[in-house]
Amino acid sequence: MEMISTDICIIGAGPVGLFAVFEAGLLKMRCHLMDALPQVGGQLSEIYPHKPIYDIPGYPTVKAQELVDNLLDQIDPFKPTFTLGERVEQITRQEDQSFIVTTNEHTKVHCKVIVIAGGLGCFEPRKPTIERLEDFEGRGVAYMVKNPELFRNKQVVLAGGGDSALDWTIFLSEVAEKVTLVHRGDTFRGAPDSAEKVFNLAKEGKINLLLKSNVVRIGGNGHLKEVFIADQANEVTALEADHLIPLFGLSPKLGPIAEWGLNIDKSAIVVNTEDYSTNVPGIYAIGDINTYPGKLKLILCGFHEAALMCHSAFKFVYPDQRLSFKYTTVNGVNAF
Ligand SMILES: Cc1cc2nc3c(=O)[nH]c(=O)nc-3n(C[C@H](O)[C@H](O)[C@H](O)COP(=O)(O)OP(=O)(O)OC[C@H]3O[C@@H](n4cnc5c(N)ncnc54)[C@H](O)[C@@H]3O)c2cc1C
């Protein structure tokens, strides 16, 4: 696989990782962002996209997803590159002090500086108790939709009752040959207008909606072939399926970050507040992932940390240059 080369590799594409691209760009440093989730935005896009946020300076109120979209617009001139849907597993130091960052899918990024903006860690799927579920992971069972095209003209069973289950049922009803949504209740936790769309799709015969039901077992030979569903009366029916997508939420875990030789205190990376550097030269930690006396897990604090971090990281990217501080009004936002 071809090596991606950049100045700064940012692990975590939440709001703080995204804003770091802007601050780095002002100092002519290129960034590559990596995230285990299939989309950018971190907690904002994954947990509370529709929630208003009231403490972003200059915005009396802004919806979480709108803030993420605005951040993407703001960093666009700096042409960041992305690896999404892959978890960073390993970092290795090279002889010339640069780093190689490797993901679970074997993507490799060569960089001079690593910025960990990993928030609360990787979001791991909450797995329901379904017999033989793990036997079919990657063989028909997936806990996230990374590439909807994978489901084109396929028979897909989704399980869950939150926003993700509703949103993907609606989306995949246009893509898959057959979509079945299995939910243990008869009302949904997700947004009421999405629930209404799902009930309408079921009425129109465009999806198969099984309420008060649970997936209890799955089967197949090498790849998923059948999903067994128990109804309220505990009667089990077999359904032909190419894919099962259980969507029961995600919970964050520090994961591989704990193995990288960094000083960790209570699942957070200890940093020097002068520049948010870690105990390893060339590795910084910003946003929710770091800890220091007085730390507040707020987006605006992460933005501040990103600015200071970039001014320090400059010396690893341009060791022969002196950095003098200038306002954006002096230099403008000059893209590459
Ligand atoms: C319900 C709720 C409401 C909130 N409301 C507010 C509010 O009103 N105002 C406010 O300021 N803050 C609020 N917060 C807190 C705010 O969301 C966080 O401070 C903010 O998301 C931190 O941003 P971040 O970029 O540091 O991390 P995150 O948003 O957590 O993003 C980190 C990203 O790193 C990725 N990652 C982690 N490890 C790896 C790895 N090994 N490989 C690849 N990717 C990895 C994760 O997948 C994730 O996408 C709220 C939080 C919650 C849960």
Side-chain angles (χ1 to χ4, degrees):
M1 194 179 283
E2 205 185 316
M3 177 92 73
I4 297 163
S5 192
T6 189
D7 294 325
I8 301 182
C9 178
I10 303 177
I11 301 170
V16 176
L18 291 174
F19 187 64
V21 175
F22 181 81
E23 289 295 325
L26 292 178
L27 305 181
K28 300 277 179 234
M29 299 187 286
R30 286 169 201 275
C31 295
H32 184 80
L33 284 145
M34 314 190 79
D35 206 295
L37 293 173
Q39 78 279 336
V40 303
Q43 294 172 54
L44 285 70
S45 301
E46 188 57 42
I47 304 179
Y48 59 97
H50 309 294
K51 186 186 92 70
I53 304 176
Y54 299 105
D55 52 355
I56 302 298
Y59 285 96
T61 172
V62 60
K63 291 237 173 79
Q65 189 56 47
E66 195 187 334
L67 178 64
V68 171
D69 294 344
N70 286 347
L71 284 165
L72 279 174
D73 282 350
Q74 194 171 17
I75 65 176
D76 184 59
F78 301 110
K79 302 287 169 246
T81 47
F82 296 88
T83 299
L84 297 177
E86 297 184 25
R87 188 177 59 203
V88 174
E89 293 285 348
Q90 211 183 33
I91 55 182
T92 42
R93 176 78 87 169
Q94 304 303 103
E95 253 175 46
D96 65 356
Q97 299 306 305
S98 63
F99 298 95
I100 292 182
V101 175
T102 310
T103 71
N104 59 330
E105 305 275 343
H106 312 294
T107 299
K108 288 186 186 296
V109 177
H110 178 250
C111 58
K112 295 170 189 147
V113 171
I114 293 176
V115 173
I116 305 173
L120 306 173
C122 275
F123 289 95
E124 304 277 342
R126 289 201 187 93
K127 297 183 187 179
T129 331
I130 297 175
E131 232 179 88
R132 300 198 62 202
L133 187 68
E134 296 193 348
D135 293 351
F136 290 95
E137 284 176 1
R139 297 186 173 116
V141 170
Y143 304 100
M144 279 182 207
V145 179
K146 292 184 187 168
N147 174 12
E149 277 307 304
L150 195 72
F151 306 101
R152 185 163 295 281
N153 302 329
K154 295 284 165 61
Q155 307 198 75
V156 182
V157 176
L158 296 109
D163 278 314
S164 297
L166 293 171
D167 291 351
W168 283 118
T169 298
I170 296 164
F171 186 89
L172 292 176
S173 69
E174 300 281 330
V175 176
E177 182 190 312
K178 183 178 173 195
V179 171
T180 302
L181 174 61
V182 183
H183 176 40
R184 62 185 158 219
D186 57 0
T187 54
F188 289 100
R189 290 186 313 282
D193 64 318
S194 307
E196 197 183 318
K197 271 190 203 142
V198 163
F199 283 123
N200 285 338
L201 284 171
K203 257 190 231 147
E204 291 160 16
K206 292 188 176 153
I207 64 159
N208 182 18
L209 180 60
L210 302 178
L211 298 173
K212 295 190 171 176
S213 301
N214 284 300
V215 176
V216 285
R217 199 167 76 241
I218 55 179
N221 190 4
H223 196 278
L224 183 78
K225 268 200 137 150
E226 281 177 309
V227 170
F228 296 86
I229 297 159
D231 66 12
Q232 210 178 358
N234 225 1
E235 228 164 84
V236 177
T237 320
L239 209 68
E240 262 184 51
D242 304 300
H243 296 278
L244 169 67
I245 314 175
L247 295 168
F248 292 95
L250 300 168
S251 67
K253 296 219 166 59
L254 192 58
I257 293 174
E259 318 293 321
W260 298 341
L262 303 163
N263 287 344
I264 306 275
D265 180 24
K266 297 191 190 84
S267 296
I269 302 170
V270 178
V271 287
N272 176 350
T273 48
E274 201 177 303
D275 57 1
Y276 302 96
S277 54
T278 67
N279 57 309
V280 180
I283 304 187
Y284 295 82
I286 56 175
D288 278 13
I289 194 78
N290 72 17
T291 183
Y292 52 85
K295 169 74 185 178
L296 288 179
K297 287 188 182 180
L298 284 176
I299 299 163
L300 78 101
C301 298
F303 288 170
H304 158 85
E305 294 164 11
L308 267 63
M309 173 279 293
C310 283
H311 278 251
S312 173
F314 186 86
K315 64 176 176 283
F316 291 97
V317 178
Y318 296 112
D320 305 327
Q321 288 185 33
R322 250 193 76 229
L323 177 62
S324 58
F325 174 78
K326 291 193 181 89
Y327 295 122
T328 47
T329 33
V330 177
N331 273 359
V333 178
N334 292 319
F336 294 119

